[in-house]
Amino acid sequence: MRLVLLGPPGAGKGTQAADLCRRFGVPHISTGDMLRESVKAGTEVGKKAQSYMEAGKLVPDAVMIGVIEERFSRGDGSRGFVLDGFPRTVGQAEALESLLARLGLPIQRVISFSASDETIVERIAGRRTCPACQTPYHARFQPPRKAGVCDRDGEELAQRPDDREEKVRERLRAYRDQTAPLVPYYEKRGLLRGVSAEASPDEVFRAVEKVLTALA
Ligand code: AP5
């Protein structure tokens, strides 16, 4: 399975990607998670990305294309993959298309999640993330077993700095201006399927599975 997940911030891409990767045994390639790790580790990429991420803006294509090329050079993409948060611009989509053509691993399906602004705001406001493994939780919708603590590694959960209200507004703007044009881009290539992200995580997962059955 070679899949791209598209959707506004907080729609639930990371939550669904993690479940899909567990179910299908393929790597979860989240550029947001990779960038947060690079910022934490103080790498060159992290230094270039930090100010954009803090402002809720997209990191420039030249940086991101380098990140994704490096990620695919590991070779585990031949088992399949779920791309979560990449591509986010038409330039990134074109670069991905030629990279995957070179590797003989073309995208099979692009799922576009839709959610109302009200849903997005509610999900992001209640999100708490594990700073170590980056698993997202939600105080109301996906609470950890013990309040404030990651189920997997016992780390204290925290709010992402870009989850504050004014940053979320900027991220939504970036989505509408720079990422939403990917919907017609992939529609034209016959790869796009829309899935409503409004239901519970399990129901959304079942809707995604239905869309993927045609690939089995
Ligand atoms: P990134 O980390 O990719 O952020 P995002 O796209 O804004 O997505 P989120 O992580 O906010 O949300 P999600 O859709 O994954 O939702 P989640 O599953 O967590 O990117 C961060 C930044 O990095 C960008 O702003 C940019 O600066 C930079 N960046 C990354 N990639 C880039 C690229 N390619 N180019 C340029 N810059 C890039 O769920 C949200 C919450 O809702 C959680 O609390 C969860 O528990 C809950 N939830 C999930 N599903 C449901 C449900 N069905 N019902 C109820 N609650 C739910």
mmCIF file of all heavy atoms in Angstrom, residues 55 58 67 99-100 108 132 134 145 155 171 197 209 213 216:
data_model
loop_
_atom_site.group_PDB
_atom_site.id
_atom_site.type_symbol
_atom_site.label_atom_id
_atom_site.label_comp_id
_atom_site.label_asym_id
_atom_site.label_seq_id
_atom_site.Cartn_x
_atom_site.Cartn_y
_atom_site.Cartn_z
ATOM 1 N N ALA A 55 5.948 29.771 13.396
ATOM 2 C CA ALA A 55 5.027 30.779 12.871
ATOM 3 C C ALA A 55 3.781 30.147 12.233
ATOM 4 O O ALA A 55 2.893 30.863 11.773
ATOM 5 C CB ALA A 55 5.752 31.646 11.844
ATOM 6 N N LEU A 58 4.534 27.055 6.186
ATOM 7 C CA LEU A 58 5.162 25.873 5.605
ATOM 8 C C LEU A 58 6.670 26.086 5.485
ATOM 9 O O LEU A 58 7.128 27.180 5.139
ATOM 10 C CB LEU A 58 4.586 25.576 4.226
ATOM 11 C CG LEU A 58 3.120 25.140 4.162
ATOM 12 C CD1 LEU A 58 2.771 24.685 2.747
ATOM 13 C CD2 LEU A 58 2.815 24.031 5.154
ATOM 14 N N VAL A 67 14.383 16.493 2.684
ATOM 15 C CA VAL A 67 13.991 15.619 3.803
ATOM 16 C C VAL A 67 13.364 14.330 3.272
ATOM 17 O O VAL A 67 13.686 13.227 3.721
ATOM 18 C CB VAL A 67 12.997 16.370 4.744
ATOM 19 C CG1 VAL A 67 12.306 15.421 5.708
ATOM 20 C CG2 VAL A 67 13.707 17.484 5.506
ATOM 21 N N LEU A 99 10.443 11.421 -7.883
ATOM 22 C CA LEU A 99 11.226 10.542 -7.006
ATOM 23 C C LEU A 99 10.651 9.117 -7.014
ATOM 24 O O LEU A 99 11.374 8.136 -7.185
ATOM 25 C CB LEU A 99 11.223 11.109 -5.564
ATOM 26 C CG LEU A 99 11.782 10.212 -4.473
ATOM 27 C CD1 LEU A 99 13.295 10.027 -4.625
ATOM 28 C CD2 LEU A 99 11.490 10.777 -3.074
ATOM 29 N N LEU A 100 9.328 9.012 -6.834
ATOM 30 C CA LEU A 100 8.711 7.683 -6.744
ATOM 31 C C LEU A 100 8.715 6.961 -8.095
ATOM 32 O O LEU A 100 8.787 5.730 -8.138
ATOM 33 C CB LEU A 100 7.291 7.792 -6.172
ATOM 34 C CG LEU A 100 7.230 8.296 -4.716
ATOM 35 C CD1 LEU A 100 5.791 8.368 -4.233
ATOM 36 C CD2 LEU A 100 8.056 7.422 -3.772
ATOM 37 N N GLN A 108 -0.537 4.971 -4.952
ATOM 38 C CA GLN A 108 -1.705 4.228 -5.424
ATOM 39 C C GLN A 108 -3.008 4.928 -5.071
ATOM 40 O O GLN A 108 -4.014 4.765 -5.741
ATOM 41 C CB GLN A 108 -1.712 2.830 -4.796
ATOM 42 C CG GLN A 108 -0.561 1.972 -5.275
ATOM 43 C CD GLN A 108 -0.468 0.706 -4.465
ATOM 44 O OE1 GLN A 108 -0.273 0.746 -3.262
ATOM 45 N NE2 GLN A 108 -0.631 -0.417 -5.119
ATOM 46 N N ALA A 132 8.187 12.522 23.473
ATOM 47 C CA ALA A 132 9.176 11.496 23.107
ATOM 48 C C ALA A 132 8.747 10.737 21.842
ATOM 49 O O ALA A 132 9.476 10.719 20.856
ATOM 50 C CB ALA A 132 9.371 10.531 24.272
ATOM 51 N N GLN A 134 5.694 11.201 20.155
ATOM 52 C CA GLN A 134 4.805 12.041 19.342
ATOM 53 C C GLN A 134 3.388 11.494 19.168
ATOM 54 O O GLN A 134 2.637 11.956 18.305
ATOM 55 C CB GLN A 134 5.430 12.329 17.971
ATOM 56 C CG GLN A 134 6.848 12.812 18.106
ATOM 57 C CD GLN A 134 7.161 13.945 17.152
ATOM 58 O OE1 GLN A 134 6.311 14.717 16.767
ATOM 59 N NE2 GLN A 134 8.415 14.064 16.796
ATOM 60 N N ARG A 145 -4.609 6.415 29.233
ATOM 61 C CA ARG A 145 -5.141 5.634 30.363
ATOM 62 C C ARG A 145 -4.986 6.398 31.666
ATOM 63 O O ARG A 145 -5.886 6.455 32.478
ATOM 64 C CB ARG A 145 -4.417 4.276 30.451
ATOM 65 C CG ARG A 145 -4.916 3.289 29.384
ATOM 66 C CD ARG A 145 -4.452 1.886 29.683
ATOM 67 N NE ARG A 145 -3.015 1.745 29.503
ATOM 68 C CZ ARG A 145 -2.433 1.460 28.334
ATOM 69 N NH1 ARG A 145 -3.178 1.260 27.259
ATOM 70 N NH2 ARG A 145 -1.128 1.358 28.250
ATOM 71 N N GLU A 155 5.892 9.243 29.394
ATOM 72 C CA GLU A 155 6.315 10.662 29.351
ATOM 73 C C GLU A 155 5.112 11.570 29.646
ATOM 74 O O GLU A 155 3.968 11.229 29.329
ATOM 75 C CB GLU A 155 6.837 11.012 27.939
ATOM 76 C CG GLU A 155 8.190 10.464 27.624
ATOM 77 C CD GLU A 155 9.336 11.256 28.240
ATOM 78 O OE1 GLU A 155 9.198 12.473 28.407
ATOM 79 O OE2 GLU A 155 10.358 10.624 28.550
ATOM 80 N N ARG A 171 -1.881 28.189 10.249
ATOM 81 C CA ARG A 171 -1.743 26.861 9.625
ATOM 82 C C ARG A 171 -2.924 26.558 8.707
ATOM 83 O O ARG A 171 -2.770 25.972 7.642
ATOM 84 C CB ARG A 171 -1.602 25.788 10.705
ATOM 85 C CG ARG A 171 -0.210 25.799 11.343
ATOM 86 C CD ARG A 171 -0.193 25.095 12.677
ATOM 87 N NE ARG A 171 -0.533 23.704 12.578
ATOM 88 C CZ ARG A 171 -0.961 22.967 13.611
ATOM 89 N NH1 ARG A 171 -1.096 23.519 14.809
ATOM 90 N NH2 ARG A 171 -1.242 21.702 13.451
ATOM 91 N N ALA A 197 -13.805 13.267 7.965
ATOM 92 C CA ALA A 197 -13.068 12.976 9.204
ATOM 93 C C ALA A 197 -13.892 13.359 10.427
ATOM 94 O O ALA A 197 -13.369 13.433 11.533
ATOM 95 C CB ALA A 197 -11.747 13.736 9.200
ATOM 96 N N GLU A 209 -10.618 2.152 5.211
ATOM 97 C CA GLU A 209 -10.429 0.747 4.775
ATOM 98 C C GLU A 209 -11.279 0.449 3.546
ATOM 99 O O GLU A 209 -10.834 -0.222 2.619
ATOM 100 C CB GLU A 209 -10.833 -0.194 5.905
ATOM 101 C CG GLU A 209 -9.710 -0.506 6.861
ATOM 102 C CD GLU A 209 -10.102 -1.627 7.805
ATOM 103 O OE1 GLU A 209 -11.261 -1.621 8.287
ATOM 104 O OE2 GLU A 209 -9.270 -2.491 8.059
ATOM 105 N N THR A 213 -10.084 -1.009 -0.176
ATOM 106 C CA THR A 213 -10.330 -2.407 -0.550
ATOM 107 C C THR A 213 -10.085 -2.624 -2.034
ATOM 108 O O THR A 213 -9.593 -3.680 -2.435
ATOM 109 C CB THR A 213 -11.773 -2.877 -0.205
ATOM 110 O OG1 THR A 213 -12.657 -1.826 -0.564
ATOM 111 C CG2 THR A 213 -11.913 -3.243 1.252
ATOM 112 N N ALA A 216 -6.696 -3.991 -2.827
ATOM 113 C CA ALA A 216 -6.234 -5.290 -2.304
ATOM 114 C C ALA A 216 -6.094 -6.335 -3.410
ATOM 115 O O ALA A 216 -6.722 -6.227 -4.436
ATOM 116 C CB ALA A 216 -7.187 -5.772 -1.236
#
